[in-house]
Amino acid sequence: MRNANAPNHFVFVATPVQSDKGRISSYEIWKVLTEKLVWYTTASAPYRNRIKGGDRIVFYLGGRPGGGSFVAQGLCSGPVAPVTAEDGAFLAEMGITRFSSRIPLLLVIYWLDEVPLKPLVPALTFIRDKKHYGLYLRQGIVPIGQEDFDLIVTQSAQ
């Protein structure tokens, strides 16, 4: 039986966003949010209610030419909460209005090199259909096992 206090492991997926001010790349979204130590999500995002302080994250940038990559790892500092007034003003400034919740981040470790998804697909257990692997990273929050998390993070150091 799984220890309820043990950290969960997730992939937080950044994809390009069409804002009121134009298109924002997945890289720009990820960089701006992680620098603020926050991740935003919609009310309908799956798995959001499973997130708690101490959970471990890898960040994935999708919607990019040549395929997506993992770019960093981090820790959540608490559960999902409603956006604050400051968050609302920041999101309005960016021209994004669809996010209603925030996930506070305690720490983000930016990797020197990106870790491309495609070479890892055969070894990642959360991706069951290896031919259509992109389907597994279409949602903003993806639960993964510790083994997959460790495999991805290990690749960042090579």
Side-chain angles (χ1 to χ4, degrees):
M1 180 170 213
R2 181 167 157 68
N3 177 352
N5 294 325
N8 296 311
H9 299 82
F10 295 98
V11 177
F12 283 5
V13 179
T15 56
V17 173
Q18 189 62 39
S19 77
D20 297 341
K21 299 179 179 185
R23 186 169 197 223
I24 305 172
S25 73
S26 57
Y27 177 85
E28 185 179 356
I29 292 276
W30 162 76
K31 188 74 169 154
V32 168
L33 298 187
T34 57
E35 286 175 352
K36 290 176 62 66
L37 291 176
V38 67
W39 198 255
Y40 295 112
T41 184
T42 62
S44 62
Y47 311 109
R48 62 193 285 280
N49 293 330
R50 289 176 41 185
I51 295 171
K52 65 185 183 312
D55 285 352
R56 299 169 73 192
I57 307 143
V58 289
F59 295 92
Y60 175 80
L61 304 184
R64 302 168 83 201
S69 296
F70 299 98
V71 293
Q73 68 193 78
L75 286 173
C76 293
S77 65
V80 175
V83 295
T84 65
E86 181 182 327
D87 293 324
F90 167 74
L91 290 167
E93 181 181 310
M94 288 189 73
I96 304 169
T97 57
R98 68 181 191 178
F99 298 115
S100 58
S101 301
R102 69 186 328 270
I103 301 167
L105 303 175
L106 178 65
L107 169 74
V108 176
I109 300 170
Y110 299 93
W111 299 341
L112 293 176
D113 295 308
E114 295 184 7
V115 175
L117 169 64
K118 193 170 184 176
L120 297 180
V121 168
L124 292 171
T125 60
F126 81 96
I127 297 177
R128 292 185 271 304
D129 181 346
K130 306 300 184 184
K131 184 176 180 183
H132 300 104
Y133 60 89
L135 296 174
Y136 293 89
L137 292 161
R138 290 185 64 184
Q139 301 195 17
I141 301 170
V142 180
I144 62 173
Q146 181 173 345
E147 299 80 19
D148 284 345
F149 179 90
D150 291 344
L151 172 64
I152 296 163
V153 170
T154 299
Q155 296 302 305
S156 73
Q158 295 185 1

